[in-house]
Amino acid sequence: MPDDLVVRRETRIAAPPAAVFALLTDPEQILRWIGTEAQMDPQPGGLYLLNVTGTRFARGAFREVVPVHRLAYSFGWEGSEVVPPGSSLVEIDLIEQPDGTLLRFTHTGLPTAEQCAGHEEGWTHYIDRLAVLAGGRDPGPDPWLGRDDGRL
């Protein structure tokens, strides 16, 4: 796959991997930093469904779940022909560090550089909110609620 069609991000989070993992997989906890509705069944083949901004649902299925260490799930947008449900892959590794967790994020399978740029902007926004929350602070209301412009 072309390297320019991959979204990558590494973020240090001041919390242990188990706390970060819960914020990524528990439907109630995930809504503290992203989305308005969530259904998560974090086991291989289980549903990943998240209403990200209150207007757009991301849908996929968990492919790999290694508690507190790794998640991989298919990802796409309901109603989208460009990035349909399950058409791309999100992989998240949580690596224990002396001061917390290194979150290593990769999103592959996006069809265009424009889609990569939009998803990179979105993931940066939401991973930053995750890091704030996991670090013990309130990220505040999501300024992107209601957004429906084709980006994450």
Side-chain angles (χ1 to χ4, degrees), residues 8-114:
R8 294 184 200 283
R9 169 112 195 209
E10 283 194 1
T11 302
R12 295 195 179 278
I13 299 176
V20 178
F21 188 84
L23 287 168
L24 291 166
T25 58
D26 181 299
E28 291 178 18
Q29 294 217 31
I30 199 169
L31 296 180
R32 296 173 63 200
W33 61 277
I34 184 174
T36 61
E37 305 170 60
Q39 293 179 40
M40 305 276 163
D41 183 13
Q43 61 181 331
L47 177 67
Y48 175 94
L49 181 65
L50 179 65
N51 187 340
V52 176
T53 63
T55 61
R56 297 184 72 218
F57 281 90
R59 177 184 288 272
F62 286 94
R63 293 190 180 172
E64 187 177 358
V65 179
V66 180
V68 312
H69 297 294
R70 180 170 167 76
L71 291 172
Y73 53 88
S74 62
F75 181 96
W77 297 102
E78 288 188 346
S80 172
E81 293 181 15
V82 179
V83 184
S87 64
S88 63
L89 180 65
V90 171
E91 297 173 273
I92 301 170
D93 290 296
L94 303 174
I95 301 149
E96 188 168 2
Q97 305 283 294
D99 58 348
T101 302
L102 174 64
L103 181 145
R104 190 169 285 151
F105 175 93
T106 307
H107 190 166
T108 57
L110 293 165
T112 66
E114 179 183 38

Side-chain angles (χ1 to χ4, degrees), residues 118-141:
H119 283 81
E120 182 169 16
E121 179 186 9
W123 284 121
T124 296
H125 171 75
Y126 286 113
I127 290 170
D128 287 350
R129 289 178 56 78
L130 167 65
V132 167
L133 180 63
R137 299 184 322 265
D138 181 357

